Amino acid sequence: MKRFFTFFLTCILIAGLALPCYAASGYIEKKDGYTAGDVYARFIKNTQWEEASVVSGTAAVTTDDGYVVTVTGIPSEAVVLKVFSIPPSESSAREWMEGCIDGKYDIEAAFDIWFEDTNGNRIFADGVQISIKKCENDSILFSLSTAGQNKELESIKKNGVIQFTADGGSYYILAKPVSPDGMEGHDNAAVSDERDGADKTVALQTGDSSRIMAGVIFSVIAAIILANLILFRKRYKKQ
């Protein structure tokens, strides 16, 4: 009997731990209609830079968020171009950068751009020509040092491409002035689509606690069985 209860308790604990972290049910609009599915929480570490070999003083990379960074006039000792597009998930870094530019701008994108020589030594991007594709035409470009000193750089913007000369800064930031209502760059929780007179709102459905409750029930049952086993053992020893 004791072995049976131990086995049963172990099975319940394993089942409870095996439950995935369920978040919600979501609907995604597709070209041919809607598709539904469960949403699960998952941690993904996304801090890897992109890199490309330097060929004849030129190199280009495409970041995970779709920006195409092309650099020309790269010094001869540099053999690799490295670009890290600092994502919004790096909230501490983004907040620090916004503070450095006086909080008057919303950051569209932020990049750490540098080179490395054959020994892996870091070479700052200074005096080279950089173009970034997939930016807004009203974007303003800043260079930022690790000490927090910022400088607005002269740039040419055309057809979603911004071109500028690097000044040796540690970071390069694309930003837009904050609108008077303070809502520039902030997305709404739901996206309204008013095509053909129809108001279609795509929003994530949250609050489904059915699978969470299953995990709670498993845990409660396991706790009750464990308590009974302890009491049974104590009584058995007394007898």
Side-chain angles (χ1 to χ4, degrees), residues 26-36 191-195 200-203:
Y27 293 90
I28 302 173
E29 185 177 7
K30 300 177 68 177
K31 292 182 178 180
D32 54 350
Y34 288 87
T35 183
V191 181
S192 296
D193 185 3
E194 298 182 359
R195 293 191 298 267
K200 300 178 182 178
T201 301
V202 180

Side-chain angles (χ1 to χ4, degrees), residues 38-143:
D38 293 337
V39 180
Y40 297 90
R42 182 185 177 191
F43 173 75
I44 300 177
K45 185 178 181 181
N46 185 21
T47 58
Q48 181 64 40
W49 58 76
E50 303 298 329
E51 63 180 54
S53 299
V54 177
V55 179
S56 300
T58 301
V61 300
T62 301
T63 64
D64 287 340
D65 45 3
Y67 289 92
V68 180
V69 180
T70 303
V71 185
T72 58
I74 300 173
S76 58
E77 64 269 22
V79 295
V80 177
L81 163 67
K82 294 194 174 185
V83 178
F84 175 40
S85 179
I86 304 171
S89 59
E90 298 286 340
S91 56
S92 298
R94 285 295 192 102
E95 289 174 4
W96 174 76
M97 290 178 176
E98 288 177 354
C100 291
I101 56 179
D102 302 325
K104 298 178 181 179
Y105 301 88
D106 283 324
I107 295 178
E108 174 189 346
F111 304 92
D112 186 0
I113 303 173
W114 75 100
F115 312 107
E116 286 186 359
D117 60 17
T118 54
N119 296 320
N121 297 316
R122 184 183 181 110
I123 303 172
F124 286 95
D126 189 6
V128 298
Q129 301 299 313
I130 300 176
S131 70
I132 301 175
K133 185 178 181 180
K134 208 203 84 168
C135 66
E136 302 293 337
N137 286 331
D138 58 345
S139 298
I140 299 173
L141 184 76
F142 291 94
S143 70

